[in-house]
Amino acid sequence: MTNVGALATKPLFGLPLAELWFALLFFIFGMFLFLDGFDFGVGVLFATRDDDHEKEQLLATVGPFWDGNEVWLVVFGGALFAAFPSVYANLFSRYYLLMFAILAALGLRGLAPEMYEEREDDHWRTLWGYSFIIGSTVTPFLLGLFVMNWLVGATGLITPVGVLGGVTVLVLTIVDGAAFLGLKTRGALRDEMRNYGTRAAVSYLGIAIITLGAIYATEPGLRSSFRSPTVVALVMLTATLTGIYVVALRRRRYYAAFAATATLVFGLVGLVATLLFPFVDRTAGLTVREAIISTLPLNLMSIMASVLLPIVLGYFVVLYSAFSGPVDTEETYG
Amino acid sequence: MVDPVLASRLQFALTTIVHIIFPVMSMGLAPFLIYFTWKEIRTKQPVYEQLRRFWTRIFAVSFVVGTVTGLVLEFEFGTNFAAFSTTAGELFGGPLALEGMMAFMLEATFLGIFVFGRDRVSDRLYFLSSIAVGLGTWLSAVWILIANSWMQTPRGFEIVVENGQRIVKLTDPLAAYLNPRFPYMFIHMQNAAVESVALFMAGVAAYYVFRHHVWGYPIEHIEVWEKTLKIALVVLLITAPLQVIQGDAYARHVYETQPLKFAAMEAVWETDSYVPEYIVAFPTDVNDLLNPRTKDLFGIGIPGGASWLASGGNPQATIRGLESFSTKAPPVAIVFWAFRIMVALGFWFILLAVWGAYRWWRGELFEDDLLHKALMASSLLGFVAVEVGWIVTEVGRQPWVIQGVMKTSASVSPNLTGAEATFTLFGFVTGYILLLGLYTYVVGRIIRAGPPSKDELTQSDAAHVRESKVTSGD
């Protein structure tokens, strides 16, 4: 290791670390939204099932994965705290009640599948089934609301664009969940999920365009950003990928559809990041460079993250390959 | 309406008190699960598979509830303690981020394989998963305790003023992260977790052993419980004495680095030498009974005992009194009694371990009904010891959130209103009581259902879960 002296004064390899951490943060959020997104989507689609066996199957598809998926949110919180502590503090205390609503919804959703499997009687299962659906619906909605508030620098908790942002994210999780179920189920169940996925994708494109229009109309400060080539490219990418998703589902190309969802999620997250940049907290008027921690801890965090994140991605490869293919109907959540 | 500072403190206290139960369960169970998995693969004896499956279910439930409560804890630094987060974030945020990336990720992803993958992956990968899960739980503690111990003995930083705010700047990472308190805390915490779980296992096993051997109930797979009791006793015999010996060194370290906390632990008001070690102490005036800062104490103590312990052998050693500090002292009675409860429990656990070992040596381990009753009654006391231990650590350092650097009262989010804080506080009290009740209920059911029978071992884990539910009577 180089001596602490150099680490304390110069950014590692002269890289623009503040901007890189801003990008990394949204990458982590994107990983969370993509991976836990399909869990949420499965939870929403759980509402369409009456048959106990099908409900079990849906739970079994996410069983081994959701814990790991949700850790991306923990890492997002930690990374925001580590790299932009003032933003972490401002943002979470400004949207105080919203944060607690998110935590409550997330808690309900985390407990529900585990509890559902603990007892077999109808009353208990109905209760935790509803908890699963409510948690899976409310969490992405509130997350969308939160991110939109963050983006436009809202001072209140509930804004019209915020609500639109919430619906956008919620619909996106259904797109994600349907594609995932295309990989994990078979037969009539899978066909039905295909139809839900198609409808969700078309709705997603519509609601995303309405949301963008609403931001453009109500946030004059963001208008100039709309003309940036990145934003235009991301909007076009979203439209194209929605098309690809629908076609892939129709042709039963489930891997292609699932890959398209991943790109859709990262497209949306990229769009938010591009519109927010160079600010990282618009309400407080903090740019990325103003809010970043000092050079020494930033360098250390960068070294750690560049080693750890590829390893973490490796864990996910091991996990997902161990449980690849459709769920065995004999195998349920345990 | 509760004052936002008080409400935030109560809320954080409640969150940590509830949350710590689940990591203790995970960290303590992890080495046992690794051992069971290893024995299961190596010996192919069904009893180890039964043990592994049974305790994994409890691990999985604890992990889920731990995730839910831990996420709240992480976000509360931002929501309720924004001033602290802004000031100390540069130093404090890093360990939290690394906990997520290095430890929690490892634990959560491999838990998926460990819980669901016995039939899907090779023995080797399965065993590695058990190690990965265990390593994850322990690495979590490394990073969390690095963050916490830095608050107790802060090193390796300087304070600068930026935009009118005092900011902690990291100058020496090794000094900051490997600060003097860290090794004491880490050993004490990890040993406490294993000890607590060993007590819990011994209590559960004693219940079945007692019902079978003493009361004559027919119990399926009694050999599972006999084995559990023996393993738990062996672990207890190692961890219980270690905890007290290491705790003594830890207390001496507190005397050297946090004299205010040490004075509160011993309720020493005036600086003095030849300070007695009080076994118990009460206010002489009944009106002061609920006053945590009461002074006029009636106590029964060992002359020179506290001085002797603090200095490591000199009964004449001076202990600095609470009155000599410029800051208002912590609530002394809480710290004093929490410390006494912890120490008393520590000795009780040694006694239990020795008692059990003696009976085992005499070949009477399954006959001594008094021992079984004592073990059952003590099954949750390890967790009580952990709670009061943390109360000593956290209440004892008040009024500081970062010792000598930042006061707790200055660390709360400046824009937080009393209404918001009160609302979430009541939400928490309700939610956490429900959550604890639910957890107790579910773990109770798992224990009553017991391990899978040998016939069920050929089935998948999931099928076993269904089976055990049916047999448990729903």
Side-chain angles (χ1 to χ4, degrees):
Chain A
M1 201 166 103
T2 53
N3 63 49
V4 174
L7 279 177
T9 48
K10 285 197 282 288
L12 211 61
F13 308 122
L15 288 167
L17 289 181
E19 286 81 358
L20 279 177
W21 271 89
F22 180 78
L24 183 63
L25 213 55
F26 279 93
F27 167 76
I28 294 171
F29 192 78
M31 285 302 285
F32 163 70
L33 196 59
F34 168 52
L35 293 173
D36 222 20
F38 71 68
D39 304 347
F40 294 135
V42 170
V44 177
L45 290 166
F46 190 83
T48 66
R49 300 294 97 195
D50 287 328
D51 179 70
D52 283 344
H53 183 66
E54 288 184 343
K55 287 183 180 177
E56 293 262 342
Q57 270 185 294
L58 255 54
L59 283 172
T61 61
V62 295
F65 305 121
W66 79 263
D67 268 335
N69 294 346
E70 201 160 291
V71 176
W72 286 97
L73 184 64
V74 179
V75 173
F76 170 77
L80 183 63
F81 197 177
F84 302 101
S86 54
V87 177
Y88 170 87
N90 286 337
L91 212 56
F92 287 10
S93 63
R94 187 185 310 137
Y95 305 124
Y96 185 81
L97 292 177
L98 187 52
M99 286 310 299
F100 279 101
I102 290 173
L103 292 171
L106 210 52
L108 195 64
R109 201 211 56 121
L111 284 177
E114 188 73 35
M115 290 301 144
Y116 187 91
E117 291 296 331
E118 287 297 333
R119 275 177 59 171
E120 295 228 312
D121 57 298
D122 287 346
H123 190 71
W124 179 265
R125 293 219 152 172
T126 311
L127 174 77
W128 288 107
Y130 277 121
S131 302
F132 186 48
I133 296 164
I134 292 167
S136 302
T137 311
V138 174
T139 311
F141 173 79
L142 291 177
L143 280 167
L145 179 61
F146 172 81
V147 171
M148 189 59 91
N149 282 346
W150 179 10
L151 170 62
V152 302
T155 43
L157 290 187
I158 299 169
T159 54
V161 282
V163 171
L164 281 172
V167 177
T168 309
V169 172
L170 174 61
V171 176
L172 183 57
T173 62
I174 303 172
V175 176
D176 197 355
F180 178 71
L181 289 173
L183 293 173
K184 303 300 284 185
T185 58
R186 291 294 179 262
L189 183 61
R190 189 194 219 181
D191 288 335
E192 268 193 73
M193 290 305 146
R194 259 173 75 217
N195 293 332
Y196 284 117
T198 314
R199 276 181 262 165
V202 175
S203 317
Y204 173 68
L205 192 58
I207 188 82
I209 290 167
I210 294 169
T211 309
L212 281 175
I215 298 173
Y216 190 82
T218 55
E219 303 295 329
L222 283 168
R223 264 176 218 168
S224 59
S225 311
F226 274 78
R227 282 186 285 276
S228 96
T230 322
V231 171
V232 175
L234 284 170
V235 172
M236 284 166 62
L237 180 78
T238 300
T240 317
L241 278 159
T242 317
I244 291 175
Y245 175 90
V246 171
V247 172
L249 269 196
R250 289 289 107 200
R251 294 190 180 167
R252 301 170 196 274
R253 303 281 292 273
Y254 295 99
Y255 272 106
F258 193 54
T261 357
T263 324
L264 276 179
V265 172
F266 282 101
L268 179 68
V269 172
L271 200 57
V272 170
T274 315
L275 288 174
L276 184 61
F277 192 79
F279 288 100
V280 59
D281 182 355
R282 198 179 293 277
T283 318
L286 284 174
T287 63
V288 169
R289 292 199 170 206
E290 287 162 342
I292 196 79
I293 49 172
S294 48
T295 314
L296 175 60
L298 184 61
N299 279 335
L300 292 176
M301 282 303 296
S302 303
I303 295 170
M304 295 300 256
S306 62
V307 174
L308 290 172
L309 285 174
I311 297 177
V312 165
L313 291 171
Y315 301 158
F316 277 77
V317 172
V318 175
L319 176 69
Y320 280 79
S321 39
F323 295 94
S324 62
V327 283
D328 181 345
T329 46
E330 281 307 301
E331 239 178 354
T332 59
Y333 199 94
Chain B
M1 208 69 80
V2 188
D3 162 53
V5 174
L6 181 65
S8 293
R9 292 178 67 175
L10 287 174
Q11 184 174 310
F12 198 81
L14 180 71
T15 320
T16 45
I17 283 173
V18 175
H19 175 67
I20 190 68
I21 295 169
F22 314 107
V24 165
M25 200 58 126
S26 310
M27 292 185 300
L29 271 175
F32 289 98
L33 290 181
I34 295 172
Y35 175 73
F36 296 152
T37 309
W38 182 66
K39 293 292 275 186
E40 175 188 338
I41 290 169
R42 289 301 293 271
T43 68
K44 313 268 185 233
Q45 282 179 32
V47 63
Y48 290 107
E49 186 178 346
Q50 289 174 304
L51 281 167
R52 193 259 306 162
R53 284 192 180 192
F54 177 77
W55 291 104
T56 298
R57 286 196 69 197
I58 293 179
F59 187 98
V61 176
S62 310
F63 181 80
V64 168
V65 185
T67 309
V68 168
T69 52
L71 199 63
V72 175
L73 202 57
E74 185 194 18
F75 282 37
E76 265 177 352
F77 288 113
T79 52
N80 292 69
F81 295 93
F84 165 78
S85 300
T86 307
T87 299
E90 184 170 309
L91 232 143
F92 193 86
L96 287 199
L98 291 171
E99 190 235 359
M101 281 191 246
M102 188 185 275
F104 201 29
M105 276 291 187
L106 186 67
E107 184 182 357
T109 43
F110 284 95
L111 188 64
I113 296 180
F114 190 69
V115 172
F116 297 92
R118 185 68 184 98
D119 308 325
R120 281 194 174 245
V121 300
S122 65
D123 282 357
R124 181 190 294 256
L125 179 56
Y126 191 74
F127 179 58
L128 283 177
S129 301
S130 75
I131 291 183
V133 171
L135 196 63
T137 65
W138 280 50
L139 280 174
S140 267
V142 168
W143 289 108
I144 295 305
L145 293 179
I146 279 178
N148 189 290
S149 62
W150 178 79
M151 294 159 94
Q152 313 279 345
T153 51
R155 298 284 190 281
F157 68 98
E158 62 184 17
I159 306 255
V160 296
V161 177
E162 266 179 19
N163 309 320
Q165 271 177 314
R166 293 171 79 225
I167 306 280
V168 169
K169 292 277 172 196
L170 179 69
T171 54
D172 185 346
L174 282 181
Y177 294 138
L178 298 179
N179 67 84
R181 177 61 51 84
F182 173 69
Y184 290 97
M185 251 188 175
F186 182 74
I187 296 171
H188 206 57
M189 184 68 227
Q190 296 315 92
N191 195 57
V194 179
E195 187 184 2
S196 302
V197 168
L199 279 159
F200 181 67
M201 285 181 148
V204 171
Y207 168 73
Y208 280 105
V209 168
F210 175 76
R211 280 167 57 101
H212 181 69
H213 289 282
V214 180
W215 280 2
Y217 272 59
I219 305 242
E220 215 186 335
H221 34 249
I222 185 68
E223 69 284 2
V224 170
W225 300 117
E226 290 173 354
K227 189 137 220 143
T228 306
L229 184 57
K230 286 180 177 172
I231 292 170
L233 271 179
V234 169
V235 173
L236 201 58
L237 209 53
I238 299 164
T239 52
L242 178 66
Q243 191 68 354
V244 171
I245 294 164
Q246 193 268 345
D248 172 58
Y250 186 174
R252 234 174 356 259
H253 176 74
V254 170
Y255 165 73
E256 283 157 14
T257 52
Q258 286 180 304
L260 180 61
K261 184 190 282 182
F262 191 82
M265 280 154 64
E266 299 293 349
V268 179
W269 289 90
E270 306 296 337
T271 302
D272 206 354
S273 62
Y274 200 62
V275 180
E277 174 68 34
Y278 286 110
I279 307 295
V280 291
F282 299 100
T284 44
D285 185 346
V286 183
N287 294 327
D288 278 344
L289 212 56
L290 290 176
N291 173 13
R293 291 183 49 79
T294 184
K295 263 189 196 175
D296 297 316
L297 297 174
F298 161 76
I300 301 168
I302 304 161
S307 292
W308 189 79
L309 285 174
S311 61
N314 174 18
Q316 300 297 337
T318 305
I319 294 178
R320 209 177 143 186
L322 290 157
E323 295 292 8
S324 68
F325 292 89
S326 55
T327 49
K328 205 164 159 275
V332 180
I334 296 175
V335 182
F336 177 89
W337 278 107
F339 184 59
R340 259 138 208 81
I341 294 168
M342 177 180 75
V343 173
L345 287 174
F347 281 106
W348 168 240
F349 300 153
I350 295 179
L351 187 70
L352 271 180
V354 173
W355 181 4
Y358 173 72
R359 288 295 181 195
W360 190 356
W361 177 63
R362 293 280 304 265
E364 300 159 353
L365 183 57
F366 305 130
E367 275 86 55
D368 186 348
D369 57 337
L370 193 61
L371 172 67
H372 300 157
K373 284 177 187 163
L375 286 173
M376 281 186 258
S378 306
S379 60
L380 296 178
L381 290 183
F383 292 88
V384 173
V386 168
E387 297 283 5
V388 288
W390 274 108
I391 287 171
V392 174
T393 305
E394 299 299 291
V395 179
R397 73 165 134 138
Q398 300 306 323
W400 301 106
V401 65
I402 307 168
Q403 183 74 38
V405 177
M406 188 183 205
K407 288 198 175 161
T408 312
S409 53
S411 68
V412 172
S413 307
N415 45 0
L416 184 64
T417 65
E420 286 174 325
T422 311
F423 178 74
T424 53
L425 176 63
F426 281 106
F428 264 102
V429 174
T430 323
Y432 273 33
I433 288 172
L434 286 174
L435 196 61
L436 258 186
L438 192 67
Y439 176 75
T440 314
Y441 169 74
V442 167
V443 170
R445 276 180 61 88
I446 294 173
I447 290 172
R448 276 196 304 279
S453 69
K454 281 179 190 151
D455 310 336
E456 290 169 299
L457 292 183
T458 46
Q459 305 171 18
S460 72
D461 283 27
H464 148 246
V465 172
R466 274 201 300 275
E467 204 69 38
S468 67
K469 266 174 226 144
V470 175
T471 52
S472 67
D474 288 306

